[in-house]
Each structure stands twice: as C-alpha cells, then as structure tokens.
Amino acid sequence: MIEDLKRQRDRYIAFSLAAADLLIEVDTHFRIVTTVGATQALLSGPVEDVIGRDVCDIFVASDQAFARRLLTKAQSIGRIEPCSLQLSQPQGPALQVNMGACFLGSGDSHTFISITVLSDGVMIDGEGGLLNLDSYLKFVSKKIAIQGYTAPKDLKLVRLTGLSRAMRELPAEQADMLIGEIGSVLRSQSMAGAAAAQLSDEAFSYIPSAKSEAVSSDAISKDIQAAVRAVGLPEDSLRPTMMNLELSIGNLDQDSIARALQYTLQDFCKPERSPIHSLAQGLKAAMAETVQHFDDIRALIDSDRYTLFYQPVVNLDDRTTHHYEALLRFADGHRPFDTIRLSEQLGLVQDFDMAVARKAIDTLIQRPDVKIAINLSGLSIQNEAFRENLRHLVSPFRDISERLMFELTESNTIDDMEAAGTFLRWLRRGGFHICLDDFGSGAATYSYLRKFDFDFVKIDGPFLREARENPRQRALIRSISHLCKELNSHVVAEMIEDESMARLCQDLGIGFGQGYHFGKPKLEIDTPRPILNGKRKGVTETWR
C-alpha cells in the first residue's frame, strides 16, 4: 500500500515536471514552503535559500502585483490557467515564463505553482506589464485569425476617465504603483495574462480568457477603484467605463481584420467619437474614412491646393546659401507630415512626388540663380511606372540638372534595390544630384549608403541633437562624416537651431547645415547671399 502511494506520488511529480520547469509550494501568505525542479537555475539558489521567501518577489517588479492577484484568484476559485509573467534574473534579462496555480483547499491550505520557461512568449513593452497599441494589434490579429474554439469571440474596451490627470498629480512612485495595479487587474482577466494593452493615456483593452469564468464589469471597476484608494486618491478620481467588441470575422481576410482592428482601437482612443461594437462595423467605418482620405488627397493634387516653401541649406564655413530644400505646405491646414504619410498608405505618394518635381522645375526655370532639392519617397523610387514618368519629365531639362537634387527618404523601405540603384545611377549620369535623407533615423539608411552612390548625406536632426551631451554619439557622427568624405559625399546637418549646434557640426566634420538658425521655410526664394557674415556670393551653377 505504501509502495503504491509512493509510486502514485512519483507519477504526479513526473507528470508535473514534464509540463513545467519548476514546481513551488507556498503557504496561505504566499511564502515558499518547498520547490521541485530547476530551483538553482531559475531562482539562483538552492531550495534552502528560497524557503520563506515571498514567491511574488521572484518576478520583475512590474509583475509582482499581477502575480499576487493571480494567486489570490487561485485561492478563490481553485485553479487558474497559465499566465505569462517575467521571472527576474540577477544576471541577464528576465525570463518570460508561464505561471499556473492550483489551490486544493485541504490540509495546510497551500497553493501549488508551476513555472514553465517560454521560448516565444509575448514580450511586454508598456507600463504596468501591458502591451502597447502596435504589439496588441499584432497579437489580436493573429489570435482571431485562428479558426476554432480557441479563437476569441470578443474583446473588452476599458476607459478610465481621469487617469491622465491622476498620473500627473501623483508622485512618480505612486503613479507607477497605480498603473501597475490597473495592469494587474486587466491582465488577470486576459487570455494567458498577456492579452491586455494600454491604447492611450486613458484607454485600455484586453481579450478575456476563454478558460475562466467571466468577471462582471462592476467587479473590475471595484478592483480598479481599490487601486485608486491604495495610492491615496479619492474613489471618484477615476470613472471606469467598459464596452464589448464582437470579433466575429465572417469572410474577412487577414488584411481586413488588421485594418478593422486598427481603426476600431484607434477610434476608441478618441472619447468624443461614438463607440464601435463589432469588427464589421469597424471595417465599414475604416473603409469609409479611407475613401474620404483618398478623395481629399486626390483633390489636393488635382486642384493644385498646395505650394512649395523653400528653406536654405548653407555652407557652414562661410554661411552662404548653397541650395534650398522644397517643402510642401497646404493652404487648407493639412499637416504636411501626416498628409504625406497617409498618401504613402493610400498609394498616392507617387502623384505627390511627381507634382512637386514639376513645380520645382518650373521654379528653376524662372530662377536660374538657385538650386533646389526635392524629396522622393522610397515607395516612389521602387515603382516602375513612377521611374518611367520621372524619366520623361526630367529628360527635356538636362540644362537644369546640376541645379536639381533628389532627396531619398526612408519613410518606406525599398524592396527592389537593384532597380532603384539602376534608376539613381541614370539620374546621376544625367547630372542630377542625389541626397540620402534622414541618415540615422532607421536601419534602411545604412543599407542605402552601402548600395547606392550619393552626392550628399543628410544627418537626421534628432540623431544629431543627441551629440550635444553624448560623447559616443559625437564619435559616431564624426566617423560618419569621415566615411562620407571617403565616399565623395558631402554631409548636411538638419534642425540646427543655434550657433552652438552649428559650431558643433563643424567640429564633427559636417560641411553644410539647415535649420531655423539659418532661415525658416518661406514661400519666396531670396537671392542667394551670405546669411550671417556679409561676404559676397556670386551665382553658382553647380553643386560643388
């Protein structure tokens, strides 16, 4: 009989360890009683060193409140589904693990915990152990595309009106505690404890767990209000409201699902908008808005309701104007950055780039004393029809080629590098100059510098600004300047706003500068002249 009991015990231990890396037994206060499995590897010490320790302390600080809430839940309902947490490690990054818990309610009333290391767990990237909007979109899109009973049927949208004000007024430690408690409340109700997100300052969402009993909105509101009281705020400081979003996808494909989700979640972040209650409704609204955006931008291009403003780029040695960058401006209040990014998404950026090229050529014909640089999107340069249209546009104007430069932007990466490289070489053979824009803003610019020949390389403003206080950044930019000289490329620094930054750029080997310190974008082009030091400047017909 005793042997049978031992054999049965050994089987249970073997089954448990087959499914987990570590088993932990804790008392009613969640203090570790004993462990079985990879204690030394995961908890950085033998069993005797961890006994008596609060088991929640084995997790990273942002997950400790969440772990405690899960274990309290296990004591209440008997068992929880495994949830994703980060296990703290004294040496190296935290480990992503699943924690399961079972409370038998007999004997010593101990809780039994399983810890399983994940190789491909969801990495939390926001505060309070919550996903950010982009990560949540990817996570939800992937989950709801799975057919069958495991696919979630709905998700919850939570608005905590007053949270942004409370976060501003609280001391940093209490603000972190509040967002951590809110995160633990939402994560404890979410699928695997990993499907909860903060969408904006006051908007949250989570996919409810399909394996546990649904908790009412009132119960979640009470838990959040308890967190509010715990940091010393009046209970009415936050006003929680919740709504349900149906996730039935019908015949929607993956792109439509992602599009509907993105629109719906972003729309929920705007409290003044009417709530959307289903993916189908969200997709319909997204498509209607997209059509409206398309029509608006198409009308901007067709009706010529935009103009070019010109900002000087100066030689840092003598502060004379070298050329002007042409920048789009809209008379009806459209924001240039947002409009261009939206035109890229809608497939209209090629039309914008072509229209800007036409305007710039007209200006160069009228002003033979200036040189102009215009932007080309990566999406345009990799489009065969656009390349052919631009060839036809510029071919008759070879006489102005040495006064027109194209700045290749990194807002969208180029897929067909070979075709793009062939076209850029054709432009350079025709006398046109090419500039690599926004160098340092992303990884693609380094790839472009390796693949293509450039006459100018423009250092991204935020990348350069860090050099003021960061010696490593200064060393990196100095090495880039040296590399560009080796490649026969001139270097331009953008967003120079004062003389100290201008002098720093000179010290780093940068030859040209652009920014408000030298002049804001203007509708009219001044006759090129010395900007600061009064030296005379004659008309220059080339870029050198």
Side-chain angles (χ1 to χ4, degrees):
M1 183 68 175
I2 294 176
E3 287 299 320
D4 287 342
L5 290 174
K6 288 182 177 178
R7 192 174 296 111
Q8 188 175 11
R9 178 202 62 190
D10 291 344
R11 286 196 190 103
Y12 284 134
I13 293 175
F15 286 144
S16 299
L17 289 177
D21 297 294
L22 177 65
L23 306 177
I24 305 174
E25 181 181 349
V26 299
D27 63 19
T28 54
H29 300 291
F30 306 142
R31 292 189 296 261
I32 297 175
V33 174
T34 189
T35 66
V36 179
T39 305
Q40 180 77 45
L42 297 182
L43 303 185
S44 302
V47 175
E48 54 269 24
D49 286 354
V50 300
I51 290 175
R53 183 179 175 187
D54 188 328
V55 73
C56 298
D57 291 344
I58 71 175
F59 301 103
V60 298
S62 60
D63 276 351
Q64 291 173 8
F66 178 45
R68 193 170 302 279
R69 185 172 296 276
L70 291 175
L71 296 176
T72 302
K73 183 178 179 181
Q75 284 184 336
S76 173
I77 65 176
R79 179 180 179 274
I80 60 166
E81 68 168 314
C83 289
S84 180
L85 297 92
Q86 293 187 75
L87 190 68
S88 181
Q89 299 292 289
Q91 304 293 329
L95 292 175
Q96 200 75 18
V97 300
N98 264 353
M99 183 187 83
C102 178
F103 177 74
L104 300 178
S106 59
D108 296 324
S109 295
H110 286 183
T111 303
F112 300 88
I113 301 169
S114 65
I115 301 292
T116 307
V117 178
L118 300 176
S119 59
D120 58 351
V122 178
M123 294 305 298
I124 305 301
D125 43 27
E127 295 181 352
L130 297 165
L131 298 170
N132 64 27
L133 176 58
D134 289 341
S135 297
Y136 188 58
L137 280 169
K138 293 175 184 176
F139 182 87
V140 179
S141 297
K142 182 178 179 181
K143 289 295 182 183
I144 65 178
I146 300 172
Q147 300 297 320
Y149 77 96
T150 59
K153 303 299 185 291
D154 57 11
L155 61 77
K156 305 296 182 182
L157 297 169
V158 183
R159 191 182 310 285
L160 301 180
T161 304
L163 178 61
S164 57
R165 178 178 179 180
M167 293 292 286
R168 289 194 302 269
E169 294 177 351
L170 284 171
E173 185 176 349
Q174 289 175 281
D176 290 342
M177 178 181 173
L178 177 59
I179 199 68
E181 288 291 340
I182 291 171
S184 71
V185 170
L186 301 181
R187 290 176 66 194
S188 66
Q189 304 302 324
S190 74
M191 178 186 291
Q198 182 168 9
L199 310 178
S200 69
D201 288 347
E202 298 188 344
F204 299 79
S205 180
Y206 68 92
I207 302 178
S209 171
K211 297 182 180 179
S212 59
E213 187 176 344
V215 176
S216 69
S217 298
D218 287 343
I220 292 176
S221 294
K222 287 179 180 178
D223 285 343
I224 291 173
Q225 297 293 13
V228 171
R229 293 193 300 272
V231 297
L233 289 173
E235 189 166 311
D236 61 357
S237 298
L238 296 189
R239 298 186 301 281
T241 56
M242 296 183 62
M243 61 170 281
N244 193 67
L245 178 70
E246 295 178 8
L247 294 179
S248 57
I249 61 175
N251 295 320
L252 297 183
D253 58 24
Q254 190 70 22
D255 288 341
S256 296
I257 291 170
R259 187 176 179 187
L261 266 175
Q262 182 171 20
Y263 181 88
T264 302
L265 295 180
Q266 289 177 338
D267 192 74
F268 182 69
C269 295
K270 305 168 185 175
E272 71 279 2
R273 302 281 283 266
S274 299
I276 292 171
H277 296 280
S278 70
L279 269 188
Q281 182 186 357
L283 182 60
K284 184 177 179 180
M287 292 178 68
E289 186 171 274
T290 298
V291 169
Q292 185 62 53
H293 284 321
F294 186 95
D295 290 344
D296 287 347
I297 293 178
R298 184 77 263 173
L300 278 177
I301 299 171
D302 293 342
S303 62
D304 206 27
R305 288 189 283 119
Y306 64 94
T307 188
L308 298 184
F309 276 49
Y310 300 91
Q311 185 174 30
V313 176
V314 308
N315 187 314
L316 290 177
D317 286 338
D318 58 17
R319 305 304 171 88
T320 53
T321 302
H322 183 267
H323 67 277
Y324 293 87
E325 181 181 4
L327 301 168
L328 271 174
R329 292 294 184 268
F330 302 100
D332 55 3
H334 280 73
R335 295 175 59 183
F337 180 85
D338 294 340
T339 303
I340 293 301
R341 292 297 173 266
L342 189 56
S343 71
E344 289 179 325
Q345 296 171 19
L346 298 175
L348 291 172
V349 71
Q350 293 94 341
D351 299 277
F352 253 132
D353 284 350
M354 191 64 64
V356 169
R358 292 192 186 97
K359 276 186 178 289
I361 289 173
D362 289 343
T363 301
L364 289 171
I365 293 172
Q366 296 169 20
R367 293 292 304 269
D369 57 334
V370 300
K371 297 170 288 184
I372 295 174
I374 62 174
N375 291 303
L376 283 186
S377 167
L379 280 179
S380 295
I381 209 72
Q382 71 175 2
N383 182 280
E384 184 177 357
F386 175 85
R387 294 194 299 265
E388 192 60 29
N389 289 336
L390 189 61
R391 286 180 197 270
H392 286 301
L393 175 65
V394 301
S395 291
F397 300 103
R398 293 300 180 92
D399 57 322
I400 64 167
S401 64
E402 291 190 342
R403 295 190 291 119
L404 179 61
M405 178 159 65
F406 297 97
E407 293 193 9
L408 180 61
T409 67
E410 201 216 15
S411 55
N412 278 274
T413 55
I414 296 172
D415 296 323
D416 191 344
M417 301 283 277
E418 183 174 349
T422 299
F423 180 68
L424 293 176
R425 285 191 293 273
W426 180 86
L427 286 173
R428 295 185 78 241
R429 286 197 302 271
F432 299 97
H433 288 71
I434 308 296
C435 173
L436 175 59
D437 197 11
D438 301 325
F439 187 86
S441 63
T445 51
Y446 291 88
S447 177
Y448 296 167
L449 191 60
R450 291 198 308 271
K451 295 286 186 179
F452 308 140
D453 292 325
F454 294 100
D455 302 285
F456 288 79
V457 173
K458 182 180 287 187
I459 304 292
D460 187 54
F463 182 69
L464 180 68
R465 195 177 296 127
E466 292 180 27
R468 277 188 188 272
E469 308 296 334
N470 190 331
R472 288 175 57 85
Q473 194 81 346
R474 290 196 294 274
L476 178 60
I477 292 174
R478 187 177 288 109
S479 67
I480 291 170
S481 298
H482 180 74
L483 172 64
C484 288
K485 289 178 181 176
E486 292 288 321
L487 297 174
N488 294 318
S489 297
H490 294 283
V491 182
V492 181
E494 65 176 3
M495 296 187 184
I496 297 178
E497 297 180 354
D498 54 45
E499 181 61 22
S500 64
M501 177 58 81
R503 294 191 182 279
L504 174 61
C505 290
Q506 287 181 282
D507 292 342
L508 296 176
I510 297 173
F512 298 87
Q514 178 180 3
Y516 282 10
H517 184 55
F518 306 119
K520 295 182 179 181
K522 294 169 54 177
L523 179 60
E524 300 296 332
I525 300 179
D526 297 327
T527 300
R529 65 185 189 281
I531 293 181
L532 295 179
N533 63 5
K535 292 182 182 179
R536 294 195 60 179
K537 175 75 173 178
V539 173
T540 303
E541 295 295 338
T542 69
W543 292 91
R544 302 304 185 202

